[in-house]
Amino acid sequence: MPAVGGLGPGSGKEYPGNLTPFVTVTCIVAAMGGLIFGYDIGISGGVTTMTPFLRKFFRKVWEKKEADKSSNQYCQYDSQTLTMFTSSLYLAALLSSLVASIVTRKFGRKLSMLVGGLLFFAGALINGFAKAVWMLIVGRMLLGFGIGFANQSVPLYLSEMAPYRYRGALNIGFQLSITVGILIANVLNYFFAKIKGGWGWRLSLGGAMVPALIITVGSLGLPDTPNSMIERGQTEEAREKLKKIRGVDDVDEEFRDLVAASDASKLVEHPWRNLLQRKYRPHLTMAILIPFFQQLTGINVIMFYAPVLFNTIGFGDDASLMSAVITGVVNVGATLVSIYGVDKWGRRFLFLEGGVQMLICQAVVAACIGAKFGINGNPGDLPKWYAIVVVLFICIYVAGFAWSWGPLGWLVPSEIFPLEIRSAAQSINVSVNMLFTFVVAQVFLTMLCHLKFGLFLFFAFFVVLMSIFVYYFLPETKGIPIEEMHQVWKSHWYWSRFVKDFDYPNGGMEMSKGGQGPKNV
């Protein structure tokens, strides 16, 4: 048995099917759900460095920033109200993802996407016309409700639609559209900040209506997944849809497995309580720890606050927004690398390589900032070469994240859950993700003020921890059909003690093949 578990080549099932143009277009449209999340991450950090925005809504922060340019740079943005503006969205997303689980299971994945788009549109509208801080917070919460629905349904939709051989690449389309959203937001912030009259921030915030419209209109034209149709009793329509999706007529084996998965899931009255069963221990562990670790890579700190961070390092407002655009381009490029390699090199290789790369960069950035800013946060004059070195290593760090924990943090949880717990487990995945995004966003500026350059070492510690976790506890899931995923746990050195053959008497509780016994791995 391999030290880390996994399936040997040629084991498990191989369903016939092609990567049809229909599936490709469908997955591209669905992946656009990531645009709303990405656009928001990029916009909120940039807007909070715009002087007119700070002067109007967060006057104390603006006054502190203007008062003494030479004072402690680490603490100039330390304001709980300002971080509440950014992070209220993630609290709302956490709550709505729990509701989204029920909608996704009972009414299908595409309805969840539609609801997410509409809520996000309403939030963008309120933010664009905001007159007071409470309007900003209400708008942000509506945006959060929208993101909760989209992030719950889109990864599931992509994993269910994609042929298993291409599941990794198509699912990472979601992360790619997040990175494209961040990049577009950074570019818009750069130009909107230059608008005379200081109302550019309204265009930045209100511009979120565009990605909201894309996912809203797009979801209306999407077909439902065969899994979701079978789950809701539309069996014959699901068979025809499966033929269309796979581009072949011989879909009987996959169809039987989907029906068996659905029948098993209907026997589960309480999917939430079911998650606590011993045989779902590996699934629950991954649903909690993968999003937890994803947030503690420190990436949101870089992305949310890239402009703030670069401003703090000593770049001007304009230069700091430009630096954020540069990291945005790197983010998109590295995600494309992940799409190319995830089904070739496997999930574990990308996780581990990305971890090493992020760790090295965090140590270098901490050393650079520590050397210049010291403990008191007063850098004096910063030479140009120094600023370039910091941005360079931050870019290498972003690349490491963008082809590892970024896309795989969404892909792996969405592909490992059996149908009977899939919606509930994905909700836990999104909720944990949003909870820790909220916590990190809420405390980051205070931590920067107190930990100073040590903040990067704080996140580096977690990168070491998560890499050890992946090495020992995460099996390879490349090229394995979702309905066969139980084999991965049964052959793993640790998880095999929780997942036994009698848990899956017909080759998988979530699937069976005419009463055939379990396959040996």
Side-chain angles (χ1 to χ4, degrees):
M1 186 186 292
V4 291
L7 284 173
S11 62
K13 297 188 178 180
E14 292 194 10
Y15 300 129
N18 307 309
L19 183 59
T20 58
F22 176 72
V23 163
T24 309
V25 171
T26 298
C27 287
I28 288 170
V29 172
M32 290 295 162
L35 273 179
I36 60 177
F37 191 28
Y39 185 86
D40 184 82
I41 290 173
I43 275 302
S44 48
V47 161
T48 51
T49 63
M50 292 184 190
T51 303
F53 178 80
L54 287 176
R55 199 165 51 225
K56 183 171 177 63
F57 294 107
F58 304 99
R59 202 164 184 87
K60 280 185 184 164
V61 179
W62 173 69
E63 284 167 359
K64 195 194 297 188
K65 189 181 165 194
E66 294 298 309
D68 184 2
K69 295 281 189 184
S70 66
S71 67
N72 188 341
Q73 295 285 303
Y74 291 123
C75 297
Q76 66 173 352
Y77 289 100
D78 185 13
S79 156
Q80 285 303 309
T81 327
L82 183 60
T83 45
M84 194 65 206
F85 160 72
T86 305
S87 55
S88 55
L89 176 144
Y90 301 98
L91 211 50
L94 188 164
L95 297 171
S96 74
S97 67
L98 302 174
V99 179
S101 159
I102 299 160
V103 175
T104 305
R105 188 179 165 101
K106 288 215 162 77
F107 303 104
R109 283 64 169 144
K110 59 180 277 185
L111 188 72
S112 264
M113 292 184 224
L114 177 64
V115 172
L118 290 171
L119 287 167
F120 197 85
F121 184 85
L125 198 64
I126 291 172
N127 270 355
F129 291 103
K131 298 279 186 202
V133 173
W134 70 265
M135 284 181 77
L136 284 179
I137 306 280
V138 168
R140 294 284 295 166
M141 291 187 82
L142 282 170
L143 294 175
F145 291 142
I147 284 172
F149 272 89
N151 286 12
Q152 208 278 340
S153 50
V154 172
L156 286 188
Y157 184 92
L158 294 171
S159 281
E160 290 179 349
M161 285 298 272
Y164 70 92
R165 288 187 197 87
Y166 307 102
R167 188 177 61 235
L170 288 173
N171 192 290
I172 290 175
F174 177 65
Q175 177 69 16
L176 180 65
S177 68
I178 291 178
T179 61
V180 169
I182 293 172
L183 177 60
I184 291 169
N186 286 335
V187 171
L188 291 179
N189 277 338
Y190 180 72
F191 289 108
F192 290 160
K194 296 178 182 300
I195 290 177
K196 297 280 187 289
W199 51 273
W201 62 268
R202 289 196 183 277
L203 292 179
S204 289
L205 295 177
M209 288 186 280
V210 177
L213 280 173
I214 291 172
I215 185 61
T216 304
V217 175
S219 66
L220 291 172
L222 289 177
D224 245 329
T225 66
N227 314 56
S228 178
M229 292 168 82
I230 293 167
E231 208 172 9
R232 290 176 290 126
Q234 300 167 5
T235 315
E236 278 316 303
E237 296 97 313
R239 184 194 288 273
E240 293 310 307
K241 186 67 71 187
L242 192 60
K243 286 181 186 174
K244 187 176 181 184
I245 289 168
R246 297 292 176 249
V248 293
D249 287 332
D250 178 21
V251 294
D252 290 350
E253 185 179 15
E254 184 174 5
F255 181 72
R256 274 199 304 271
D257 288 348
L258 292 178
V259 171
S262 176
D263 290 343
S265 78
K266 281 172 186 161
L267 299 175
V268 178
E269 290 177 21
H270 306 288
W272 293 95
R273 199 183 306 159
N274 226 46
L275 269 171
L276 299 174
Q277 285 183 23
R278 184 176 170 84
K279 66 178 173 180
Y280 298 129
R281 198 66 48 82
H283 310 84
L284 187 60
T285 305
M286 298 302 161
I288 292 170
L289 286 184
I290 288 178
F292 167 74
F293 282 139
Q294 189 194 41
Q295 293 316 310
L296 286 165
T297 53
I299 187 66
N300 276 1
V301 170
I302 301 285
M303 283 307 179
F304 275 147
Y305 298 111
V308 174
L309 204 63
F310 289 133
N311 202 328
T312 300
I313 291 169
F315 299 177
D317 284 5
D318 204 33
S320 66
L321 283 171
M322 195 62 229
S323 308
V325 171
I326 294 165
T327 53
V329 171
V330 171
N331 202 2
V332 173
T335 306
L336 289 170
V337 172
S338 187
I339 287 177
Y340 170 78
V342 69
D343 292 316
K344 236 185 195 71
W345 309 321
R347 282 68 161 149
R348 286 171 50 80
F349 170 79
L350 287 173
F351 266 131
L352 295 170
E353 192 284 332
V356 171
Q357 195 169 321
M358 288 191 292
L359 183 64
I360 293 167
C361 292
Q362 280 166 324
V364 172
V365 170
C368 284
I369 294 178
K372 276 291 173 188
F373 286 75
I375 300 299
N376 64 4
N378 185 0
D381 288 328
L382 289 172
K384 197 160 192 173
W385 65 264
Y386 165 85
I388 290 168
V389 167
V390 173
V391 172
L392 178 68
F393 274 95
I394 283 179
C395 284
I396 298 170
Y397 165 84
V398 168
F401 175 84
W403 59 53
S404 64
W405 280 91
L408 301 180
W410 293 107
L411 165 64
V412 172
S414 76
E415 68 182 359
I416 62 173
F417 305 135
L419 185 64
E420 65 268 20
I421 58 164
R422 197 168 293 159
S423 277
Q426 179 66 3
S427 276
I428 288 178
N429 179 41
V430 175
S431 299
V432 172
N433 195 304
M434 293 304 154
L435 174 65
F436 284 97
T437 309
F438 170 77
V439 170
V440 169
Q442 196 62 29
V443 302
F444 164 66
L445 292 173
T446 308
M447 285 172 78
L448 180 63
C449 188
H450 295 288
L451 286 178
K452 304 175 172 57
F453 61 88
L455 182 62
F456 290 94
L457 299 177
F458 170 83
F459 288 116
F461 165 75
F462 281 100
V463 170
V464 172
L465 215 58
M466 64 187 74
S467 298
I468 292 169
F469 171 77
V470 166
Y471 184 79
Y472 285 106
F473 296 105
L474 184 70
E476 183 55 72
T477 55
K478 175 185 76 169
I480 298 160
I482 293 181
E483 288 75 25
E484 287 279 284
M485 204 61 79
H486 61 282
Q487 299 281 18
V488 164
W489 310 112
K490 282 199 293 191
S491 65
H492 189 270
W493 72 273
Y494 179 75
W495 299 120
S496 55
R497 66 192 71 180
F498 298 100
V499 181
K500 305 289 185 190
D501 278 342
F502 58 75
D503 286 327
Y504 298 95
N506 295 315
M509 176 183 161
E510 75 272 29
M511 45 73 57
S512 66
K513 185 187 172 186
Q516 178 180 312
K519 285 192 169 78
N520 294 318
V521 179

